[in-house]
């Protein structure tokens, strides 16, 4: 958390921030700002993107991704055969009550999805108060971690948490005046998502695909690493790359839908609106190579970090391992922050990966937007809501497990209620983060669209536009003059 905050501050202070994609109705004339003359992507004037011809971008990386999936599919049957043989040799295992477990997961999942859906309206109504509460929540969490570390006798980590606690207080004071725009932007993003709730169906579909792939990957890795440990990096790369692709495909899809809602709301105002299908098809076909490109870069860093974690067993290299991990974490944070904005332009206009990133950075620079603080504030709200939903579902899991203590009996746990709470907390946070992840993508898209096309926003959503403009004027009066 501390490293990611540092990375965001570094990027903001250097005026370097990334990408977008969507469909604009009209092209406004540039303002009196001095436009930076650079070699932009196709048909980009430094002020606003233009829909690109429908073509397959960054094809090599899409082909590489599919080739790696084919390789994993070839290895999977052999891995399953080896695991089955090992299980037979071991004489089987415990008789697990799968019916009761399915019942538990179903009940908790329904509660989590229900709370996540209701939370959209709750956040819209109390967005300003929730942003403030999120800042207090962040400070309280840092303080609690500091106390826990000192009580556990870990002086070093206690000092680190104390530093994080101090930074949290300073951060809250620095951004307090910027809360209104963060709240207004969050409300706008929530309005777009509520108008196109079918996005949540795609998000949960990707979750099940990711879960299935994780099971297959675990089977393959158990078989391969036992005979060839040198394949660890490639296996980690496969795991992280696949999950990054799923996440970023959802991000690009959401950006396209929110862009359509921004410019042509009549095409994006229902549960199964036309824009959802169109954006999903674009993100999984024409723009899929771009998704695979950026995802691969992050996956390489994540795989290196995972390998580095395995070195922590060597006590003589602890300091070096920590330094390497910190460097890799910073690199990962920078790339992920870049990808978040870049994929907005990919979803809105269909640029390739590199042009999208360069164009969106240029947009922010030309607009004079040296800080996009509101995005971080909105994310803090979404994380807090996810934790709250997790706690509620944890309580539901506690009640269900306490009423039927046979659910986890085969696992040998002494406290079924406590186990039910932990499983409920985990399931609730995972499912709510999927829904709120769509909102996070919508928040990023709204920032870009507001920078590019405030006039179209005022025409199509006058009430939300009035709220956004008023909040922007009070939070950043100097930047407001760029409109």
């Amino acid at each position: 958390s501390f490293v990611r905050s540092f990375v965001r501050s570094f990027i903001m202070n250097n005026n370097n921030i990334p990408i977008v994609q969507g469909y604009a109705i009209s092209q406004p004339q540039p303002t009196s700002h001095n436009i930076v003359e650079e070699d932009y992507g196709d048909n980009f004037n430094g002020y606003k993107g233009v829909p690109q011809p429908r073509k397959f971008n960054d094809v090599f990386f899409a082909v590489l991704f599919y080739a790696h999936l084919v390789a994993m599919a070839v290895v999977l049957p052999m891995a399953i055969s080896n695991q089955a043989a090992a299980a037979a040799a071991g004489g089987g295992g415990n008789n697990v009550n799968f019916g009761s477990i399915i019942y538990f997961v179903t009940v908790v999942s329904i509660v989590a999805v229900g709370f996540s859906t209701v939370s959209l309206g709750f956040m819209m109504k109390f967005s300003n108060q929730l942003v403030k509460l999120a800042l207090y929540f962040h400070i309280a969490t840092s303080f609690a971690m500091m106390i826990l570390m000192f009580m556990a006798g870990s002086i070093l980590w206690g000092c680190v948490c104390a530093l994080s606690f101090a930074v949290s207080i300073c951060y809250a004071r620095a951004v307090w005046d910027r809360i209104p725009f963060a709240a207004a932007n969050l409300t706008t993003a929530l309005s777009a998502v509520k108008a196109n709730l079918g996005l949540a169906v795609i998000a949960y579909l990707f979750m099940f695909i990711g879960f299935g792939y994780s099971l297959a990957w675990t089977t393959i890795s158990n078989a391969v690493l036992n005979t060839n440990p040198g394949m660890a990096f490639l296996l980690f790369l496969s795991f992280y790359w696949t999950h990054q692709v799923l996440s970023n495909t959802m991000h690009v899809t959401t950006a396209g839908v929110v862009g359509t809602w921004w410019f042509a709301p009549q095409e994006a105002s229902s549960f199964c609106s036309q824009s959802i299908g169109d954006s999903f098809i674009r993100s999984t076909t024409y723009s899929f190579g771009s998704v695979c490109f950026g995802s691969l870069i992050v996956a390489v860093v994540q795989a290196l970090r995972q390998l580095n974690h395995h070195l922590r067993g060597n006590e003589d290299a602890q300091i070096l391992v920590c330094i390497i991990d910190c460097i890799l974490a910073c690199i990962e944070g920078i790339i992920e922050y870049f990808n978040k904005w870049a994929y907005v332009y990919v979803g809105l206009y269909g640029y390739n990966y590199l042009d999208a990133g360069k164009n969106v950075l240029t947009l922010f620079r030309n607009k004079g937007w040296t800080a996009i603080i509101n995005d971080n504030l909105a994310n803090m709200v979404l994380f807090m809501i996810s934790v709250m939903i997790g706690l509620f579902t944890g309580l539901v899991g506690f009640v269900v497990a306490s009423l039927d203590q046979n659910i986890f009996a085969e696992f040998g746990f002494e406290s079924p209620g406590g186990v039910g709470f932990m499983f409920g907390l985990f399931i609730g946070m995972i499912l709510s983060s999927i829904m709120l992840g769509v909102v996070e993508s919508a928040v990023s898209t709204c920032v870009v669209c507001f920078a590019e096309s405030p006039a179209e926003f005022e025409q199509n959503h006058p009430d939300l536009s009035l709220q956004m403009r008023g909040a922007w004027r009070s939070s950043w009066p100097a930047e407001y003059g760029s409109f």
Side-chain angles (χ1 to χ4, degrees):
S1 175
F2 174 75
V3 170
R4 293 183 183 277
S5 298
F6 170 78
V7 168
R8 289 191 182 99
S9 300
F10 174 83
I11 294 175
M12 293 170 191
N13 292 333
N14 286 274
N15 301 334
N16 290 324
I17 307 178
I19 309 184
V20 182
Q21 158 176 303
Y23 288 89
I25 302 303
S26 60
Q27 181 75 14
Q29 297 300 317
T31 64
S32 59
H33 267 60
N34 294 322
I35 302 299
V36 177
E37 295 294 336
E38 294 184 2
D39 180 20
Y40 304 125
D42 293 344
N43 301 321
F44 183 69
N45 64 0
Y47 182 77
K48 184 176 181 180
V50 176
Q52 300 298 290
R54 293 201 170 191
K55 63 178 182 179
F56 292 95
N57 294 318
D58 302 310
V59 176
F60 171 78
F61 296 96
V63 173
L64 186 63
F65 179 76
Y66 283 126
H68 119 271
L69 289 183
V70 171
M72 296 292 283
V74 170
V75 176
L76 180 60
M78 294 182 288
I80 293 176
S81 177
N82 291 340
Q83 188 166 348
N94 295 327
N95 295 320
V96 179
N97 188 354
F98 287 105
S100 297
I101 294 177
I102 292 174
Y103 166 73
F104 174 86
V105 172
T106 300
V107 172
V108 173
S109 298
I110 291 174
V111 172
V113 172
F115 274 126
S116 299
T117 305
V118 171
S119 70
L120 299 182
F122 179 77
M123 285 188 288
M124 287 181 64
K125 187 173 183 180
F126 301 102
S127 57
N128 196 68
Q129 294 88 336
L130 286 173
V131 175
K132 296 178 181 178
L133 183 60
L135 286 171
Y136 289 128
F137 178 80
H138 184 60
I139 294 172
T141 301
S142 300
F143 180 76
M145 289 299 298
M146 178 186 69
I147 297 300
L148 288 174
M149 290 298 103
F150 281 130
M151 290 179 63
S154 179
I155 304 301
L156 175 60
W157 285 108
C159 292
V160 171
C161 292
L163 177 61
S164 177
F165 173 61
V167 170
S168 299
I169 295 176
C170 295
Y171 176 77
R173 289 175 58 88
V175 303
W176 196 262
D177 292 338
R178 298 169 181 175
I179 289 176
F181 184 71
N185 189 36
L186 180 60
T187 300
T188 299
L190 289 166
S191 299
V193 172
K194 284 194 69 176
N196 298 273
L197 269 181
L199 286 169
V201 176
I202 299 177
Y204 287 122
L205 172 64
F206 281 154
M207 182 200 69
F208 286 116
I209 294 175
F211 178 73
Y213 180 80
S214 297
L215 293 178
W217 181 88
T218 302
T219 302
I220 293 172
S221 63
N222 287 338
V224 172
L225 293 179
N226 287 334
T227 58
N228 193 352
M231 296 291 291
F233 174 76
L234 293 179
L235 286 170
F236 287 138
L237 180 62
S238 172
F239 179 84
Y240 288 117
W241 193 13
T242 301
H243 284 277
Q244 280 287 325
V245 166
L246 292 174
S247 176
N248 290 328
T249 300
M250 190 67 237
H251 183 31
V252 171
T253 301
T254 302
V257 173
V258 174
T260 304
W261 174 85
W262 190 281
F263 296 108
Q266 68 277 6
E267 298 179 11
S269 296
S270 64
F271 186 90
C272 297
S273 63
Q274 177 184 346
S275 66
I276 295 178
D278 292 343
S279 296
F280 177 74
I281 291 173
R282 288 196 303 271
S283 64
T284 53
T285 54
Y286 299 110
S287 298
F288 190 69
S290 300
V291 171
C292 295
F293 188 180
S295 300
L296 177 60
I297 298 173
V298 176
V300 169
V301 179
Q302 290 177 324
L304 289 173
R305 289 191 69 188
Q306 188 63 40
L307 284 179
N308 187 56
H309 290 167
H310 284 279
L311 297 176
R312 290 185 173 178
N314 185 353
E315 296 182 358
D316 296 331
Q318 286 296 307
I319 296 178
L320 178 61
V321 169
C322 289
I323 293 174
I324 293 175
D325 189 63
C326 184
I327 294 173
L328 290 175
C330 290
I331 295 173
E332 180 185 348
I334 291 172
I335 298 173
E336 286 184 336
Y337 198 62
F338 175 86
N339 281 357
K340 178 177 65 175
W341 297 106
Y343 283 133
V344 174
Y345 248 49
V346 171
L348 288 174
Y349 299 114
Y351 288 107
N352 64 51
Y353 175 72
L354 294 178
D355 282 342
K358 180 170 60 176
N359 292 349
V360 77
L361 284 170
T362 304
L363 165 68
F364 285 124
R365 188 189 318 137
N366 288 340
K367 295 293 292 185
W369 288 24
T370 58
I372 310 296
I373 282 291
N374 62 284
D375 178 66
N376 191 36
L377 291 174
N379 289 347
M380 291 172 64
V381 174
L382 299 177
F383 174 74
M384 181 185 68
I385 294 296
S386 180
V387 172
M388 293 174 62
I389 292 174
L391 292 174
F392 278 122
T393 54
L395 291 175
V396 173
F398 174 82
V399 172
V400 173
S402 298
L403 293 176
D404 184 0
Q405 299 194 7
N406 293 324
I407 293 179
F408 300 108
E410 288 81 1
F411 293 96
F413 294 117
E414 297 181 358
S415 176
V419 175
F421 175 83
M422 294 306 298
F423 274 104
L425 174 67
F426 176 76
I427 294 173
M429 289 193 65
I430 290 295
L431 293 181
S432 63
S433 66
I434 292 172
M435 171 73 81
L436 298 178
V438 174
V439 178
E440 180 181 353
S441 298
V443 168
S444 301
T445 306
C446 288
V447 170
V448 174
C449 289
F450 191 61
E452 286 191 327
S453 308
E456 287 88 338
F457 186 45
E458 184 175 17
Q459 177 182 352
N460 296 320
H461 307 279
D463 293 338
L464 291 172
S465 175
L466 181 63
Q467 183 179 355
M468 286 272 281
R469 285 176 176 270
W472 181 251
R473 185 188 299 111
S474 63
S475 298
W476 284 285
E479 287 83 351
Y480 181 80
S482 65
F483 282 13

